Amino acid sequence: MEPKEINIKESLYIILVNYCNPNITVDCIMSLQKAGMRLSHIIVVDNKSPDDSLNVLKRIKGIVIIASELNGGFSYGNNLGIRYAMEQNCSSVILLNNDTVVAEDFFEKIFEGDDGSVNVPKIYYYTNPDILWYAGGKIDYKRGRQVHFGENLKDSAEFSSEKNIDYATGCCMMIPRSVLDKAGLLDEQYFMYWEDMDYSLRLKEAGVSIRYLPNAKVWHKVGMSGGSQSRMAIYYSNRNRFFLMKKYRFGSTAWLYTVITRFIKYIQSLIHGNNDRVIIRAWCDYRKGIMGKVDI
């Protein structure tokens, strides 16, 4: 199928971060091209992959490739791409996980929100394409966590209304240049996980709305990067949760819930021998102020 030509709104740039998954990234790029995206406006940041990623990506003539000098994590990689796009006088950027594919009318739909808002799509599981992974979301201040609306449910009319929400997933978000100028870039202290919730809270502080646009659709190959139950994923998701709760002064109810549930998971891990044992290290590193990338 030949890529269709559509009028991409002004100067939009797409940012993908790759780490050792070049073939998945290529699939994402092909879906973007089919949806009408100019290759010259697709920025792929390779986070110093030790494999053959750069050589694979260079076979796609026309895309912008930024080879990072270090693996600085999700925010670091995206910020490299954002800075490049801003140097090109972008009107907006879309941060998109490289383990996704988009609908062919994605770009026609992702701009249907209000000018000046951060727009997010409806996201399905790639392996179960009628089941929702994210249909908007919210920040649960009582439990210190984010919630995906519709997660693991079959799509229905209930999740088909455009609305303002308070949590934008980093899997896919469209950010206008005016918002970047106001709210800044992503916080690089997290390395991976929770940086999107951090940015959502920062958007709220800056008075920027987050708009859920259900007609813009994405399919996500969930867990292809780190694996949700790996030691690495459990460590960063817990350490960064503690850090964010302190940074944004979450209340005692959220802290009590989080500490108790983490303690229970840790005790269960001692019995069953699973990766939740790394929670205790995540807590200790948080208390010591250790952020960024660590060896797990």
Side-chain angles (χ1 to χ4, degrees):
M1 179 183 293
E2 290 294 324
K4 62 181 178 178
E5 293 293 332
I6 66 172
N7 181 24
I8 301 293
K9 187 174 181 179
E10 299 182 33
S11 184
L12 167 69
Y13 284 80
I14 302 283
I15 300 168
L16 310 176
V17 177
N18 177 79
Y19 184 75
C20 296
N21 281 311
N23 294 325
I24 289 174
T25 302
V26 170
D27 289 343
C28 182
I29 293 169
M30 293 300 98
S31 80
L32 293 171
Q33 189 179 21
K34 286 181 181 179
M37 189 65 194
R38 296 183 292 271
L39 287 177
S40 61
H41 282 214
I42 298 175
I43 304 167
V44 181
V45 179
D46 183 70
N47 256 347
K48 202 173 178 59
S49 299
D51 63 0
D52 199 37
S53 284
L54 281 175
N55 289 330
V56 173
L57 295 170
K58 286 177 180 177
R59 295 171 192 160
I60 306 177
K61 304 300 182 183
I63 64 173
V64 178
I65 298 176
I66 299 175
S68 174
E69 295 181 354
L70 58 88
N71 178 14
F74 179 86
S75 291
Y76 179 86
N78 274 296
N79 285 346
L80 286 176
I82 292 171
R83 291 188 185 99
Y84 175 88
M86 293 177 76
E87 290 171 0
Q88 309 308 308
N89 296 315
C90 66
S91 61
S92 54
V93 299
I94 292 179
L95 308 186
L96 181 66
N97 273 20
N98 67 321
D99 58 350
T100 60
V101 296
V102 303
E104 289 194 17
D105 62 353
F106 175 76
F107 295 109
E108 299 168 20
K109 305 299 183 182
I110 197 63
F111 285 104
E112 291 182 349
D114 299 329
D115 288 342
S117 64
V118 168
N119 296 341
V120 294
K122 179 184 287 184
I123 305 176
Y124 303 87
Y125 287 94
Y126 181 82
T127 54
N128 206 343
D130 295 324
I131 302 300
L132 294 167
W133 181 75
Y134 172 89
K138 70 174 183 178
I139 296 171
D140 184 345
Y141 289 93
K142 292 183 177 181
R143 291 178 172 83
R145 64 182 186 181
Q146 65 280 85
V147 175
H148 288 199
F149 298 142
E151 186 172 15
N152 297 324
L153 298 179
K154 189 174 179 61
D155 194 11
S156 68
E158 179 183 357
F159 306 109
S160 298
S161 298
E162 182 179 321
K163 60 183 176 181
N164 284 344
I165 57 175
D166 62 10
Y167 168 64
T169 173
C171 181
C172 182
M173 64 172 82
M174 192 283 290
I175 311 174
R177 173 64 180 267
S178 60
V179 173
L180 293 171
D181 291 335
K182 182 184 292 186
L185 307 187
L186 303 179
D187 189 334
E188 297 177 8
Q189 297 181 84
Y190 292 89
F191 186 69
M192 61 185 294
Y193 302 136
W194 290 76
E195 53 277 284
D196 52 2
M197 184 161 165
D198 180 286
Y199 202 67
S200 297
L201 288 162
R202 189 137 39 97
L203 292 173
K204 182 177 181 179
E205 291 180 345
V208 176
S209 61
I210 302 171
R211 194 72 177 164
Y212 166 63
L213 301 176
N215 292 326
K217 297 179 180 180
V218 172
W219 286 264
H220 185 198
K221 300 172 184 177
V222 177
M224 294 298 291
S225 298
S228 61
Q229 296 304 311
S230 69
R231 282 175 54 85
M232 178 178 68
I234 293 170
Y235 171 84
Y236 285 116
S237 62
N238 281 280
R239 185 201 67 181
N240 294 348
R241 180 176 183 173
F242 303 139
F243 174 77
L244 179 140
M245 289 173 59
K246 180 181 179 181
K247 179 179 178 180
Y248 289 96
R249 299 182 177 87
F250 275 63
S252 57
T253 301
W255 276 104
L256 186 62
Y257 173 86
T258 301
V259 170
I260 290 175
T261 54
R262 299 312 92 185
F263 180 74
I264 292 171
K265 282 180 174 290
Y266 173 69
I267 295 300
Q268 290 174 336
S269 75
L270 297 180
I271 298 170
H272 301 294
N274 60 42
N275 286 331
D276 283 334
R277 284 177 293 179
V278 80
I279 288 174
I280 193 66
R281 181 179 171 189
W283 172 258
C284 292
D285 283 358
Y286 152 72
R287 295 288 295 173
K288 294 174 184 177
I290 296 173
M291 293 299 293
K293 183 181 180 181
V294 300
D295 292 326
I296 306 297

